[in-house]
Amino acid sequence: MQARKDKQVNDMVEKEKIYPLIVDESENIAYISDPETYEVIYLNQAMRETLDLALGEDYKGRYCYDLFQNRKTPCPFCTNDRITKERFYTWKHYNEKLGKYFKLRDKLVEIDGKDYRLEICVDITDSEVHNKDLERQLSAEETVVQCIHALSGNEDMDVAIHSLLEIIGGFYRAEHAFIYECNYSENTVSNTYEWHRKDLMSRKEKLQDIPMEYVAQWKEHFEEEEAVCFPKYCEEGEARLPEILQGLGVRRHMAAPIWEETSEKYGGEKKIAGFIGVDNPTKDIEQVSLLHSVAFFVSNDIYKRRMIYKLKDLSHVDALTGLGNRNSYLEKIEDLKAAHLKSLGVVFVDINGLKYANDHFGHPYGDEMIRSVAQGIRRYFPEYSYRIGGDEFIALYIDGTKEEFEERLDGLRDYAEDECICDFSMGVNFGRGNVNIEEQIGYSDSMMYVEKQVYYGSVLDGRRLQHKALARKLVRDIEAGRFEIYLQPKINLETGAMVGAEALMRREGEDGEILLPDKFISLYETEGVIQYLDCYAFEEVCKLLQEWIKSGGTPVPVSVNFSRLSLMGSRVVNRLAEIRERYEVPPELLVIEVTESVSQMEPRALKGLMEDFEKYKFVVSLDDYGYQYSNLAILINMNFVELKLDKSLVDDLKSNPKARIVVENSIDMCRRLNQVISTAEGIENEDQLNILKEFHCDVGQGYFFSEPLPREVFLEKFGGHHVF
């Protein structure tokens, strides 16, 4: 009975009271609720559609804060205590459930003697979003202006950039703002500038010298976009926060690239110098373009300031060594004259044989000598070290103990003996109290001169000096990977099958160019250090053959060239056998190539060498036959398995009848000399190949088949024994 009565009341409210109230606002959404219980008693059709209520789905009895706001308790922004019957209360609100902005008009209306809340809602999302976008844009532009002022208003670059980062951190309400810079020579990236919220700790030290591959995601996105935000695409799975940041509690990361122009030497293009950004921003994260704008001004400012600093430093820093130059030294001396010194140690250094090195090996090598000496001086006297002339240096040790000074000198002497690529003379002096700077420096200079005269008295032509220097540099270049083995296939001319390969050395020059052996081998032979390179080549070939075998392939014999000087060393063949044994390479896979100059060895030494080859089962090949002279006696006295005809004979095969006679008879001689394999070098065209086939030459190599290839390329192309 009561239920029927309630229904009648509701029907009456809807039909007689509510409809007239909203007829003028029918184009907007509206509802009526009980302000005391928050129960909804009416929704107009527009409101039903907005809430996406299904046909017949009842809303009565539900609370307004649940139905409209998806809340479990009354809204903290509810206006029930502010509305009256006399006028509408107007306000704005963003409805998170509906994702829209509304202009709201609230009023109390009386129905059957009871006050109800009427709310009419006007959707203003489009205009509000537009206004907020304008506000954000204006705020971002103002922030950029502040950043520009921060950069231009501080002469100290560190202070200027910290102020800029503080502005950016505040704009985004972030935890950290930062700049990372790339070091392409070390292939690393480091956090060079940082601002952090006062309640947080700095993490700058944890983000130094990061391998470049760890931040590859940054570069990948920078090349496609102006700025990036990780994780921007997490829902789509297209990008995730780089792992290096996850361990530091970073949940969101925004960054923009800092670009720099490369020099004409590198194409004059832009490259990424670093990036600027924020971590865990909580405001305006969609304004990534702000970072891009700031990055532009930062890159210009850093470049400009560094150019100024560089120009300033150039007048005080030696460009070749990085030590102080003569200007810097003279200024320091003037400062010391006005100071009260407790003690002063002076080290005067002069490089021995720099002119000889420049004349015989070129100025790039002389520069390397200068840098090597400077490295030692800087290591043991880092405070005050100067290059005051072409081959002269001075180091000052100010207000220290004599014991410490002597320890540093001992370190520098050890460096000269064990690490420096050249010799240098030193004059040293240490004084306490009432120091006369000019007298001490003059005395050190005199002592250095005496040591230099003693040195040149024992080394009249400078050759021992250069042998030591060149040997050290050669070993260092080998350790630095500046030498590389190339391989050229040797082809059976009858079948076209690869039956061997020759290992040929290549060297990386000072400017990165690849140098052929004729550019460096003769120098190493002249200075008596070629044995280091020959043994290195032999060991590299052993490594190659070991890898080839372990990979399941079937390697072919590889020839290694040896200088006569290398083979004259004590127990050299024994050492080669030990290397071969260490890599478990079968003897038949290694061929030692020697030239006819080996016949110049003293007869007993040559005989001993051949006996050692036979004892350790080394296969020996005679290389460059016919290059300058052909010592037929060597073919009688030595057991070669191969005779290689020099390229100069092969070049003239088509046009020179005499060359054809020599080549044909040499090949015939090989067949008669215990079946020695005849190999023709330098085959470059089909005419040469056909003539050699006609003479029944066994093996050939040259550009007609393949140029020498780096080991990886050779294995990829010929590891499966491709047939020509």
Side-chain angles (χ1 to χ4, degrees):
M1 187 74 179
Q2 182 62 38
R4 186 182 303 114
K5 182 177 180 182
D6 290 341
K7 184 176 186 305
Q8 291 174 348
V9 170
N10 287 337
D11 290 343
M12 177 189 69
V13 168
E14 288 185 349
K15 293 178 181 179
E16 298 178 6
K17 303 293 183 180
I18 298 174
Y19 291 161
L21 288 171
I22 63 171
V23 67
D24 292 334
E25 304 291 344
S26 60
E27 71 275 13
N28 299 315
I29 60 179
Y31 73 92
I32 295 177
S33 63
D34 187 330
E36 295 178 358
T37 65
Y38 299 98
E39 292 182 55
V40 175
I41 65 171
Y42 175 75
L43 300 179
N44 73 347
Q45 185 61 32
M47 183 59 118
R48 283 174 172 270
E49 293 173 356
T50 300
L51 294 174
D52 199 22
L53 292 176
L55 188 63
E57 183 179 352
D58 197 7
Y59 57 84
K60 293 179 181 178
R62 293 182 64 178
Y63 301 117
C64 59
Y65 52 78
D66 169 43
L67 188 62
F68 306 143
Q69 305 290 343
N70 204 25
R71 300 176 65 90
K72 295 181 179 180
T73 57
C75 303
F77 46 80
C78 183
T79 60
N80 281 348
D81 60 341
R82 280 168 276 180
I83 57 177
T84 63
K85 295 180 180 179
E86 286 71 27
R87 64 178 62 85
F88 278 100
Y89 177 80
T90 303
W91 58 299
K92 294 180 182 179
H93 176 67
Y94 176 74
N95 188 300
E96 292 186 359
K97 177 179 178 179
L98 300 177
K100 294 183 177 182
Y101 288 95
F102 290 98
K103 180 177 181 181
L104 306 170
R105 301 180 64 203
D106 301 344
K107 188 177 183 182
L108 289 176
V109 294
E110 184 176 341
I111 303 175
D112 291 335
K114 178 176 174 55
D115 289 342
Y116 290 90
R117 171 193 177 93
L118 168 66
E119 184 164 84
I120 302 170
C121 313
V122 180
D123 187 348
I124 58 170
T125 301
D126 290 343
S127 61
E128 197 69 15
V129 167
H130 178 69
N131 290 337
K132 288 190 176 296
D133 284 345
L134 286 177
E135 289 177 8
R136 291 192 188 97
Q137 187 64 33
L138 288 172
S139 176
E141 291 175 358
E142 290 173 357
T143 302
V144 171
V145 172
Q146 291 178 29
C147 290
I148 295 172
H149 282 265
L151 286 175
S152 60
N154 291 284
E155 292 186 4
D156 188 311
M157 186 166 72
D158 292 346
V159 173
I161 291 183
H162 187 273
S163 298
L164 175 144
L165 293 179
E166 183 177 8
I167 292 169
I168 294 174
F171 176 84
Y172 288 108
R173 293 181 188 169
E175 293 181 356
H176 290 81
F178 52 77
I179 288 178
Y180 287 76
E181 293 186 64
C182 299
N183 182 341
Y184 285 98
S185 62
E186 299 293 333
N187 203 31
T188 60
V189 63
S190 296
N191 184 185
T192 51
Y193 295 97
E194 177 201 46
W195 168 88
H196 58 84
R197 220 169 56 193
K198 291 183 178 180
D199 58 322
L200 298 175
M201 299 291 291
S202 171
R203 61 184 192 198
K204 182 178 174 182
E205 291 186 4
K206 299 178 181 179
L207 296 168
Q208 300 300 306
D209 300 320
I210 304 165
M212 199 79 77
E213 63 264 23
Y214 288 171
V215 294
Q217 283 177 280
W218 276 272
K219 188 174 180 182
E220 179 182 332
H221 284 273
F222 289 155
E223 290 173 349
E224 298 177 0
E225 305 178 40
E226 292 182 342
V228 296
C229 178
F230 294 114
K232 181 178 179 182
Y233 310 108
C234 277
E235 294 180 0
E236 295 85 354
E238 294 182 12
R240 295 183 178 180
L241 193 68
E243 291 183 7
I244 194 169
L245 295 179
Q246 295 179 26
L248 296 173
V250 177
R251 302 174 300 280
R252 183 176 293 276
H253 173 92
M254 298 171 63
I258 298 174
W259 297 92
E260 70 175 0
E261 299 285 344
T262 62
S263 66
E264 292 298 326
K265 178 180 178 181
Y266 298 102
E269 298 179 351
K270 290 197 305 181
K271 73 173 183 178
I272 296 172
F275 47 93
I276 183 172
V278 293
D279 283 335
N280 296 336
T282 58
K283 174 179 172 287
D284 291 329
I285 57 177
E286 70 280 358
Q287 293 288 332
V288 291
S289 59
L290 167 68
L291 286 178
H292 174 67
S293 299
V294 173
F296 171 78
F297 291 105
V298 168
S299 63
N300 284 347
D301 190 77
I302 290 177
Y303 177 77
K304 178 186 69 177
R305 290 179 188 248
R306 286 183 176 170
M307 285 298 294
I308 293 172
Y309 295 158
K310 186 175 181 180
L311 290 172
K312 184 177 180 180
D313 288 343
L314 282 176
S315 64
H316 289 81
V317 176
D318 177 57
L320 181 60
T321 65
L323 300 181
N325 62 13
R326 190 172 186 84
N327 290 339
S328 179
Y329 163 71
L330 293 175
E331 287 185 10
K332 187 62 183 176
I333 293 301
E334 290 302 314
D335 291 342
L336 293 179
K337 286 179 181 178
H340 179 69
L341 300 181
K342 298 177 182 177
S343 65
L344 176 66
V346 178
V347 183
F348 206 110
V349 173
D350 190 287
I351 299 175
N352 296 326
L354 180 61
K355 183 178 185 304
Y356 181 92
N358 284 331
D359 292 344
H360 289 78
F361 308 135
H363 285 275
Y365 181 69
D367 289 346
E368 188 69 22
M369 291 171 61
I370 293 170
R371 282 191 290 264
S372 183
V373 173
Q375 180 181 339
I377 296 173
R378 182 189 293 108
R379 180 186 299 178
Y380 293 101
F381 295 93
E383 299 89 353
Y384 307 103
S385 299
Y386 310 89
R387 181 186 177 207
I388 61 172
D391 55 3
E392 294 180 330
F393 302 82
I394 278 187
L396 303 175
Y397 178 67
I398 301 171
D399 287 342
T401 65
K402 186 174 183 180
E403 293 74 20
E404 171 69 16
F405 182 62
E406 293 293 344
E407 286 182 13
R408 294 190 182 200
L409 285 176
D410 288 341
L412 183 56
R413 292 187 181 106
D414 289 342
Y415 174 84
E417 184 63 30
D418 300 331
E419 297 185 54
C420 190
I421 69 169
C422 61
D423 286 324
F424 54 83
S425 299
M426 288 197 306
V428 301
N429 180 262
F430 184 86
R432 295 189 183 93
N434 195 25
V435 173
N436 186 312
I437 297 173
E438 292 178 334
E439 282 186 8
Q440 276 198 239
I441 292 173
Y443 182 74
S444 296
D445 187 9
S446 298
M447 293 300 295
M448 181 277 300
Y449 182 76
V450 170
E451 182 175 311
K452 202 172 187 69
Q453 293 306 306
V454 171
Y455 174 85
Y456 279 110
S458 61
V459 188
L460 296 178
D461 62 357
R463 292 291 294 277
R464 182 183 70 83
L465 158 72
Q466 299 313 322
H467 171 85
K468 174 185 175 183
L470 195 62
R472 284 180 178 168
K473 176 153 176 42
L474 175 57
V475 171
R476 287 189 180 181
D477 286 345
I478 289 173
E479 291 173 348
R482 299 188 69 174
F483 289 92
E484 183 178 0
I485 291 292
Y486 278 48
L487 294 118
Q488 187 175 41
K490 297 164 72 172
I491 307 301
N492 184 306
L493 298 186
E494 181 178 349
T495 66
M498 184 176 72
V499 293
E502 181 180 0
L504 299 162
M505 187 63 72
R506 298 290 186 265
R507 182 183 186 274
E508 180 185 351
E510 298 297 331
D511 297 325
E513 75 278 18
I514 301 300
L515 303 178
L516 299 179
D518 61 352
K519 298 296 184 183
F520 54 87
I521 292 295
S522 60
L523 170 63
Y524 296 143
E525 286 185 325
T526 301
E527 296 302 321
V529 297
I530 188 64
Q531 65 271 20
Y532 298 109
L533 191 60
D534 285 350
C535 287
Y536 168 73
F538 183 81
E539 185 160 1
E540 286 297 295
V541 169
C542 288
K543 289 180 185 178
L544 167 73
L545 289 168
Q546 182 190 56
E547 293 169 6
W548 201 344
I549 293 170
K550 287 185 176 181
S551 67
T554 306
V556 295
V558 179
S559 303
V560 186
N561 293 280
F562 271 82
S563 167
R564 170 176 58 88
L565 299 176
S566 297
L567 297 175
M568 290 170 63
S570 175
R571 298 180 70 251
V572 63
V573 180
N574 176 264
R575 288 199 296 272
L576 296 180
E578 290 174 353
I579 295 172
R580 183 183 66 189
E581 195 74 19
R582 186 162 68 246
Y583 289 98
E584 301 177 337
V585 178
E588 64 271 15
L589 290 181
L590 285 163
V591 179
I592 303 296
E593 288 195 8
V594 300
T595 64
E596 291 174 309
S597 66
V598 76
S599 64
Q600 299 174 28
M601 292 176 63
E602 192 271 329
R604 283 178 299 180
L606 179 58
K607 181 180 178 182
L609 175 65
M610 295 310 299
E611 289 174 351
D612 284 343
F613 279 142
E614 292 181 9
K615 176 182 176 182
Y616 292 104
K617 299 180 180 180
F618 274 102
V619 178
V620 182
S621 169
L622 181 61
D623 192 19
D624 296 339
Y625 182 79
Y627 172 57
Q628 289 181 330
Y629 57 87
S630 296
N631 187 344
L632 297 178
I634 196 173
L635 298 175
I636 299 172
N637 297 325
M638 297 186 68
N639 293 324
F640 296 105
V641 299
E642 179 186 42
L643 184 144
K644 300 185 73 174
L645 299 168
D646 188 71
K647 182 180 183 299
S648 60
L649 294 176
V650 177
D651 285 341
D652 294 336
L653 277 179
K654 184 178 180 181
S655 59
N656 190 336
K658 292 181 180 180
R660 288 200 294 273
I661 292 172
V662 172
V663 170
E664 183 177 15
N665 282 278
S666 296
I667 293 171
D668 183 65
M669 181 176 60
C670 287
R671 285 199 301 273
R672 295 170 180 269
L673 289 172
N674 300 320
Q675 295 298 311
V676 173
I677 298 170
S678 57
T679 299
E681 296 182 292
I683 301 175
E684 296 183 349
N685 56 61
E686 195 166 0
D687 289 333
Q688 295 169 344
L689 175 62
N690 290 334
I691 294 172
L692 290 166
K693 283 183 176 181
E694 180 184 336
F695 294 161
H696 302 290
C697 183
D698 298 315
V699 176
Q701 67 182 95
Y703 278 65
F704 180 77
F705 303 110
S706 171
E707 64 181 330
L709 301 170
R711 56 194 295 175
E712 294 81 5
V713 179
F714 175 85
L715 288 175
E716 182 179 350
K717 188 172 183 180
F718 298 115
H721 292 212
H722 293 101
V723 177
F724 287 88

